[in-house]
Amino acid sequence: MLFEVWAPDAARVALWADGRTYAMERDPARAGRWCREAPAADGTRYGFALDGGPVLPDPRARRLPDGPEGPGAVVDFTRFTWRHPWPGRPLPGAVLYELHTGTFTREGTFDAAAARLPHLADLGVTHVELMPVCPFPGTHGWGYDGVAPWAVHEPYGGPDGLRRFVDAAHGLGLGVVLDVVHNHLGPSGNHLPAFGPYFTDTHHTPWGAAVNLDAPGSAEVRAYLTGSALAWLRDYRLDGLRLDAVHALADTGPKHFLAELSAAVDALAARLGRPLFLIAESDLNDPATTTPREAGGLGLHAQWNDDFHHALHTALTGESQGYYADFATDPTHALAKTLRSGFFHDGTHSAFRGRPHGHPLDPATTPAHRLLAYSQTHDQVGNRALGDRLSAHLTPGRLACAAALVLCAPFTPMLFMGEEWGARTPWQYFTDHTDPGLAEAVRTGRRREFAAHGWPAAEIPDPQDPATRDRSCLDWTEPGHAPHDRLLAWYRDLIALRHAEPALTDPQWDYDALSVTPRGTVSFRRGPLVVAVNLTDRPVRLPLVPGGARAEVLAAWRPLDPPDGDGGTTLPAESAVVLRCEGRLRPTGAGETLEGA
């Protein structure tokens, strides 16, 4: 087997494989590359020693059976037999479900998660979005401290466990998306700097030195990250990748790394003959992120839209701290703006940032599926002091309203695991750092962070306490009991409607009418469908359809009568409804404020 490694500054490199040491030779055709043929098979342990130093794991190791500090292991991908042919499943029309392998089940493994996949197929979601699965120190963590971008966390089940999970998902018709982190590596177990200039002080990020995308040696680093992304899609038959915090990828080169990556993924999709896609997490509110490359953009296929989340969250909860302040002045107006224009901050002043933020997005040239909409995510729940979900504070009726707005908006909806039944378990920040100093720094740092906002230190969960992770595991007995079962049925009904009604996934996201009131009603029309929510604590009469039009109730959280001869109906408190009207309705004044609410 041919072993290779990039170590441009080393004077000599040795390969260690199954207890034997081999001197490696420079590759005359590729600067900085070292090569050596040696006997190896699936499972062979190996690593590299630079200039007589300790054996380090291969930066491109596909498996780290003993964790980030141990040697790598050879993985023969031809040994795995896929049971289910898979033509792929594209992003348009999708309903995503964000899932953390370590807390989706108490066991915290791929196999245990796979056993729960029938629940998701029955729910109607189309793609599972796995939070990061690259190796990190310890057993339990969020995954954003990964240090080996080509490998799979062994306690989850390693490479074979991930492939079994993907195969099981495909067998149920579910696509699989993986969250990958290119903007930084974790603080413990990161050996990349020993091999070469993977990081640069040219730019700085919240995690320290930036990943080297534009300084000397960056061509190899870019190839390293692109190769990793393609390997996930190719070798694990994944359908897409979610790219963490792309705004932290500093790149001043002639072609941005993300444009290069999107081109490589599109080329791989053409070779494989199945759709592949990239979803960005970005706080830039920049339409260029998803603008096609030929039109001067980066060519990513979609992006998370936190503006939609923030507007919805403030409308639901009334919270106004931190970044919610910009949305809390008039939450329903903010929600209407994100429904109509995508971004709330589109060059407007952001009080939270103290400056203007964002750029306008043109709905006429941006298909609706390019923006993801959600009421909860791992970030928006887990980065709260107590990891409390919306279900910890909201009535089932308000949760039902949130579901209606997410699942009936024109954007690609995404759910966070457990929200479909209003899970009462929190999802807290937990770590399992094996370095005592780092563990204490994380513990005290988190308590200091929230103490600045008035939280007593004793109330902040200790990230290193195993009980913090245990509290965050879903309770799979809940869906069978009230009130969870009713909310779960509501989610199923709304997702089924989304799949059945083309108007809800129309890529053109203009509205026949979009109406809000300051105290908490929102209604809009998409083709023959009318969606209305009442977030107030009392019934509200709404003029939903033109007088005389016939309307059918397709889904309603609480019973209500169809619109009367004047086109109005009384929507119960904290309730939502989806109606179908006969024929395509003519606009009746998009954006007007309704009386009486």
Side-chain angles (χ1 to χ4, degrees):
M1 176 178 173
L2 179 64
F3 290 88
E4 299 179 89
V5 68
W6 181 59
D9 297 326
R12 54 193 174 91
V13 179
L15 164 69
W16 177 90
D18 273 356
R20 298 187 61 184
T21 302
Y22 306 85
M24 301 188 75
E25 298 179 354
R26 294 183 185 273
D27 185 338
R30 294 179 295 172
R33 285 270 178 177
W34 298 76
C35 304
R36 175 69 195 229
E37 290 274 359
D42 185 76
T44 295
R45 305 293 182 92
Y46 75 102
F48 303 109
L50 312 178
D51 295 325
V55 174
L56 301 176
D58 180 4
R60 294 177 182 247
R62 309 304 297 275
R63 185 181 172 209
L64 295 174
D66 303 313
E69 299 296 344
V74 173
V75 177
D76 180 359
F77 281 89
T78 66
R79 290 169 58 92
F80 186 83
T81 301
W82 295 94
R83 298 177 299 151
H84 304 290
W86 183 244
R89 192 156 191 176
L91 184 63
V95 178
L96 275 64
Y97 187 97
E98 190 184 22
L99 181 160
H100 178 260
T101 304
T103 51
F104 188 58
T105 66
R106 184 70 54 177
E107 297 88 342
T109 65
F110 292 126
D111 288 340
R116 293 291 183 180
L117 288 175
H119 164 81
L120 302 185
D122 181 61
L123 179 62
V125 301
T126 63
H127 294 76
V128 178
E129 182 177 304
L130 290 175
M131 288 175 60
V133 301
C134 292
F136 53 86
T139 300
H140 297 298
W142 279 20
Y144 294 94
D145 289 335
V147 294
W150 288 67
V152 182
H153 193 49
E154 197 72 15
Y156 288 169
D160 281 348
L162 177 57
R163 284 182 287 184
R164 288 193 299 270
F165 177 89
V166 173
D167 199 30
H170 288 170
L172 293 168
L174 299 169
V176 182
V177 181
L178 178 64
D179 193 339
V180 297
V181 183
H182 290 158
N183 53 71
H184 74 288
L185 270 71
S188 177
N190 175 15
H191 299 290
L192 290 186
F195 286 89
Y198 282 89
F199 299 88
T200 174
D201 289 327
T202 304
H203 311 285
H204 291 274
T205 75
W207 306 281
V211 173
N212 179 15
L213 299 176
D214 57 5
S218 60
E220 282 285 349
V221 179
R222 294 164 75 103
Y224 174 78
L225 295 176
T226 300
S228 168
L230 298 181
W232 290 116
L233 296 167
R234 180 189 62 241
D235 298 337
Y236 293 93
R237 291 194 179 183
L238 297 176
D239 298 273
L241 302 175
R242 182 261 192 187
L243 309 178
D244 182 64
V246 299
H247 49 269
L249 294 172
D251 183 3
T252 60
K255 184 175 184 179
H256 197 282
F257 167 72
L258 291 174
E260 186 176 293
L261 177 61
S262 69
V265 169
D266 287 348
L268 178 62
R271 289 197 300 273
L272 296 178
R274 58 183 175 90
L276 302 172
F277 52 84
L278 298 172
I279 302 172
E281 180 201 19
S282 172
D283 75 350
L284 299 179
N285 282 20
D286 188 351
T289 302
T290 59
T291 297
R293 295 183 302 278
E294 55 271 21
L298 298 177
L300 303 183
H301 306 90
Q303 61 181 309
W304 282 25
N305 186 6
D306 275 353
D307 278 16
F308 177 91
H309 168 271
H310 299 345
L312 178 57
H313 187 91
T314 56
L316 291 166
T317 67
E319 292 183 12
S320 60
Q321 74 278 12
Y323 47 67
Y324 292 132
D326 287 331
F327 301 82
T329 302
D330 188 346
T332 51
H333 165 73
L335 184 56
K337 183 175 181 180
T338 60
L339 285 167
R340 186 184 301 112
S341 307
F343 297 147
F344 177 76
H345 286 305
D346 52 7
T348 58
H349 181 78
S350 167
F352 174 69
R353 296 174 176 85
R355 58 170 173 79
H357 181 67
H359 304 271
L361 184 150
D362 184 3
T365 58
T366 304
H369 72 265
R370 293 197 187 281
L371 294 178
L372 266 63
Y374 36 84
S375 65
Q376 301 178 78
T377 70
H378 77 273
D379 270 331
Q380 302 302 336
V381 176
N383 284 328
R384 296 171 67 85
L386 302 181
D388 44 321
R389 298 168 178 264
L390 288 177
S391 52
H393 310 285
L394 301 184
T395 62
R398 284 192 162 235
L399 296 175
C401 290
L405 289 169
V406 169
L407 290 166
C408 296
F411 314 122
T412 298
M414 185 181 73
L415 315 180
F416 179 57
M417 62 177 194
E419 79 163 77
E420 70 273 22
W421 71 73
R424 296 292 173 84
T425 49
W427 202 74
Q428 299 177 332
Y429 181 67
F430 53 89
T431 56
D432 190 20
H433 294 300
T434 54
D435 179 338
L438 179 59
E440 183 57 31
V442 169
R443 179 185 296 114
T444 58
R446 188 155 180 92
R447 287 176 173 168
R448 186 182 306 117
E449 174 189 357
F450 286 103
H453 299 286
W455 288 91
E459 294 185 11
I460 306 304
D462 178 0
Q464 285 288 121
D465 185 347
T468 304
R469 176 264 172 182
D470 292 345
R471 282 191 298 271
S472 301
C473 294
L474 288 179
D475 178 358
W476 282 94
T477 68
E478 287 184 334
H481 303 286
H484 307 287
D485 53 353
R486 185 181 172 208
L487 189 62
L488 178 58
W490 175 247
Y491 269 84
R492 286 192 184 116
D493 289 347
L494 291 177
I495 294 173
L497 271 181
R498 187 171 184 89
H499 292 321
E501 298 290 344
L504 293 179
T505 53
D506 187 342
Q508 300 299 317
W509 45 295
D510 55 331
Y511 299 88
D512 288 333
L514 172 61
S515 304
V516 302
T517 62
R519 281 187 283 176
T521 65
V522 180
S523 65
F524 55 85
R525 298 187 194 140
R526 298 273 290 160
L529 303 186
V530 176
V531 180
V533 303
N534 176 14
L535 296 175
T536 74
D537 59 2
R538 61 188 177 85
V540 175
R541 178 174 170 78
L542 298 177
L544 295 179
V545 301
R550 295 179 58 189
E552 173 191 4
V553 176
L554 299 181
W557 176 248
R558 300 184 192 278
L560 81 169
D561 295 325
D564 56 27
D566 295 328
T569 190
T570 298
L571 189 57
E574 298 184 345
S575 188
V577 64
V578 183
L579 304 166
R580 188 208 308 278
C581 298
E582 191 175 72
R584 185 172 178 83
L585 301 176
R586 302 174 66 85
T588 59
E592 79 266 27
T593 298
L594 305 178
E595 297 296 330

